[in-house]
Amino acid sequence: MSWEGESDWNEDEKLSGSCVLVPVPDPESPGKGKLLREQGYAETMPAIGDYQLTEDGTFILLTAYQRATAEERIWFATPNVRFRVSLIKTSDGAGVVTSSFSSEIRSLSRTASEGYNEKVTSEVGQ
């Protein structure tokens, strides 16, 4: 997966990157499983998280790291508007270190040679 974006929080900051994601569904419960990531959200290291897709379409990802635990909830308001809430908790779960809410807008542009390109813009608050 790769992404590009810009933040309304810091107009000079351009966000971009890439990461290898491998979903491994639970054979007995297809809406749940493991998500293997080349790079984690809370710590820059490979990570394995537990995911769940709820009946209303919310994607929940819980990932334990060496020093923290991340809880992410992602849902779509429309096909091109996504909301995300992230909590970074202490590894023992005793407190929240960071929380954020993002609204992301996907804008599609089409070029003759490349097909569709995706650009994501975000508003992030902490």
Side-chain angles (χ1 to χ4, degrees):
M1 173 180 81
S2 61
W3 63 90
E4 287 184 11
E6 47 193 53
S7 173
D8 289 339
W9 198 254
N10 180 351
E11 293 179 14
D12 296 330
E13 183 180 20
K14 298 293 182 192
L15 309 169
S16 66
S18 64
C19 180
V20 175
L21 301 173
V22 179
V24 181
D26 180 335
E28 296 185 21
S29 184
K32 296 181 178 182
K34 301 280 185 191
L35 183 65
L36 313 177
R37 290 186 283 180
E38 170 189 34
Q39 178 178 327
Y41 176 75
E43 295 180 19
T44 326
M45 59 183 281
I48 300 173
D50 294 301
Y51 75 82
Q52 174 184 352
L53 190 60
T54 66
E55 287 184 21
D56 68 358
T58 301
F59 179 78
I60 301 170
L61 179 62
L62 303 172
T63 308
Y65 297 95
Q66 291 177 347
R67 298 179 304 237
T69 300
E71 178 180 333
E72 301 170 79
R73 293 175 182 265
I74 302 168
W75 68 98
F76 288 86
T78 71
N80 293 321
V81 176
R82 177 172 68 186
F83 296 122
R84 180 168 33 100
V85 173
S86 300
L87 298 173
I88 307 299
K89 302 176 182 179
T90 57
S91 57
D92 64 2
V96 174
V97 177
T98 304
S99 65
S100 67
F101 171 82
S102 299
S103 61
E104 300 169 334
I105 302 168
R106 177 173 57 179
S107 60
L108 299 173
S109 64
R110 186 176 177 126
T111 62
S113 62
E114 297 176 355
Y116 283 102
N117 293 321
E118 182 175 321
K119 181 180 177 187
V120 176
T121 59
S122 300
E123 291 182 21
V124 180
Q126 295 183 359

